Amino acid sequence: MVISTSRGGSAFLLAQLGAHAATRFGERVAELDLTLPQTGLLRAVATEPGRSQQALAGRLGMPASRLVALVDGLAERGLLERRRNPDDRRLHALHLTATGEEMYGRIAEAARAHENDLLEGLDDAERGVLQSLLGRIAERQGMTPGVHPGYKRA
Amino acid sequence: MVISTSRGGSAFLLAQLGAHAATRFGERVAELDLTLPQTGLLRAVATEPGRSQQALAGRLGMPASRLVALVDGLAERGLLERRRNPDDRRLHALHLTATGEEMYGRIAEAARAHENDLLEGLDDAERGVLQSLLGRIAERQGMTPGVHPGYKRA
DNA sequence: TCAATTCATTACAAAACTGAACGATTATCT
DNA sequence: AGATAATCGTTCAGTTTTGTAATGAATTGA
């Protein structure tokens, strides 16, 4: 019945591998002087520019007070900027700067290298099967695409 | 080339699903009044009884000072106990009590239910394929079987 | 027998997170 | 129009974690 008791079930394996993958990716972006939450924010702003901080906080699942510190750090480094909205001067629309776009390109490259390193040992067909299975689970579990809950912590 | 850009690559999906699985399992053991680190410790003691606290701390990847508080809480509830070793009275060998064994049985049951809930939508053949693929990745990445790094945090 | 090492525990300082409060701006209601 | 309520970003204080170093008991080795 049980295929591999020594390594645990698929659920445990999934959690274990997920934590491992997140840690490894964190090491890669650390070479760009970025933390995991910072990377998640940059990704969110890159895919949906112009959103307010409150909207992003809700989407990333973190309190707005925490997002302020994140934005501060990235804005000081010139990676993203707050733009006042003339229509509603309460909110700050977030956009990537040119430097931020360039940095996002490096992040994407790191993600590709990370993925290739993680899936080493699987051929193309197997990678396709894995992607399909994981995608179906994610959809069934109702997960928000592109948002990593663990990126809430440093 | 890219199969599913909306949900990210397999590595991201893996990290995302892993965090989700860990959170969900945490909710399940919370009904047993257990935190995730406590559950990880109980599992470690159940699979390798009689180890010293220092050995377990190294295995679980947490400082020994942190393990003391964990053991204190579980010992007060009568789930595990410290036994002095006559040969070396410095170290405390950890063992599950009868109550602890019973609790571990409930944890195992929760794990089965959790796994079944997570893999809902996949038939037996697909589950086997997933288990095989994840197991190969875990082995290739040199992961320690049965140890979840994320259980370090509550 | 004395010094050095190991184990468990405690104490302490540093960091992170949360929730509430605050000014500024806008929306709603009469 | 005017007054009140709600929203946005920000700040602040309080609480909770977390890792490092110091302590005491016990063992090992010279």
Side-chain angles (χ1 to χ4, degrees):
Chain A
M1 188 72 90
V2 177
I3 296 179
S4 170
T5 49
S6 63
R7 286 213 171 271
S10 291
F12 184 86
L13 217 40
L14 209 52
Q16 192 187 21
L17 270 173
H20 175 78
T23 301
R24 282 298 189 86
F25 186 62
E27 293 170 0
R28 287 193 186 264
V29 297
E31 296 177 2
L32 303 174
D33 277 310
L34 289 177
T35 66
L36 242 25
Q38 285 176 330
T39 306
L41 175 57
L42 284 180
R43 171 173 178 150
V45 174
T47 56
E48 302 183 60
R51 306 291 302 272
S52 72
Q53 294 186 185
Q54 180 126 331
L56 281 176
R59 180 152 179 63
L60 297 176
M62 64 174 64
S65 58
R66 201 126 101 67
L67 209 153
V68 173
L70 271 180
V71 173
D72 283 347
L74 295 176
E76 281 177 10
R77 289 169 59 181
L79 297 178
L80 57 80
E81 61 183 2
R82 297 175 165 101
R83 294 186 194 164
R84 286 224 100 99
N85 187 337
D87 294 342
D88 188 340
R89 296 213 307 271
R90 287 176 303 182
L91 50 83
H92 287 164
L94 297 184
H95 294 266
L96 290 187
T97 63
T99 313
E101 296 277 4
E102 182 191 355
M103 179 63 89
Y104 185 62
R106 280 188 228 163
I107 292 174
E109 188 180 1
R112 280 191 297 271
H114 167 60
E115 169 134 351
N116 207 55
D117 187 39
L118 192 72
L119 301 184
E120 171 194 339
L122 268 55
D123 61 35
D124 285 354
E126 291 167 331
R127 295 185 187 199
V129 172
L130 180 65
Q131 172 86 18
S132 168
L133 290 175
L134 294 180
R136 280 170 55 194
I137 297 176
E139 191 178 9
R140 193 85 174 212
Q141 293 289 315
M143 315 209 54
T144 310
V147 176
H148 190 310
Y151 286 7
K152 279 183 284 190
R153 300 170 186 154
Chain B
M1 188 70 91
V2 177
I3 296 179
S4 169
T5 48
S6 62
R7 285 214 171 268
S10 290
F12 184 86
L13 218 39
L14 209 53
Q16 191 188 21
L17 270 174
H20 175 77
T23 301
R24 282 298 190 86
F25 186 62
E27 293 169 0
R28 286 193 186 265
V29 296
E31 297 177 2
L32 303 173
D33 277 309
L34 289 176
T35 66
L36 241 25
Q38 286 175 331
T39 306
L41 175 58
L42 283 180
R43 172 174 178 150
V45 174
T47 55
E48 302 183 60
R51 306 291 303 271
S52 72
Q53 295 186 183
Q54 180 127 335
L56 280 176
R59 180 151 179 64
L60 297 177
M62 65 174 63
S65 59
R66 201 126 103 68
L67 208 151
V68 172
L70 270 179
V71 173
D72 283 347
L74 295 176
E76 282 177 10
R77 287 170 60 182
L79 297 178
L80 56 81
E81 60 183 3
R82 297 174 164 103
R83 294 186 194 162
R84 289 225 97 101
N85 188 337
D87 296 342
D88 189 341
R89 295 212 307 272
R90 289 175 303 181
L91 51 82
H92 286 165
L94 296 184
H95 294 267
L96 290 188
T97 64
T99 313
E101 297 277 4
E102 182 192 356
M103 179 64 88
Y104 185 62
R106 279 187 230 165
I107 292 174
E109 186 180 3
R112 280 191 297 271
H114 167 61
E115 168 134 352
N116 207 55
D117 187 40
L118 192 72
L119 301 184
E120 169 194 340
L122 268 56
D123 60 35
D124 285 353
E126 290 167 331
R127 295 185 187 198
V129 171
L130 179 65
Q131 171 87 17
S132 167
L133 289 175
L134 294 180
R136 279 169 57 194
I137 297 177
E139 190 178 9
R140 192 86 172 212
Q141 293 290 315
M143 314 208 56
T144 310
V147 177
H148 191 310
Y151 286 5
K152 279 183 284 190
R153 298 169 186 158

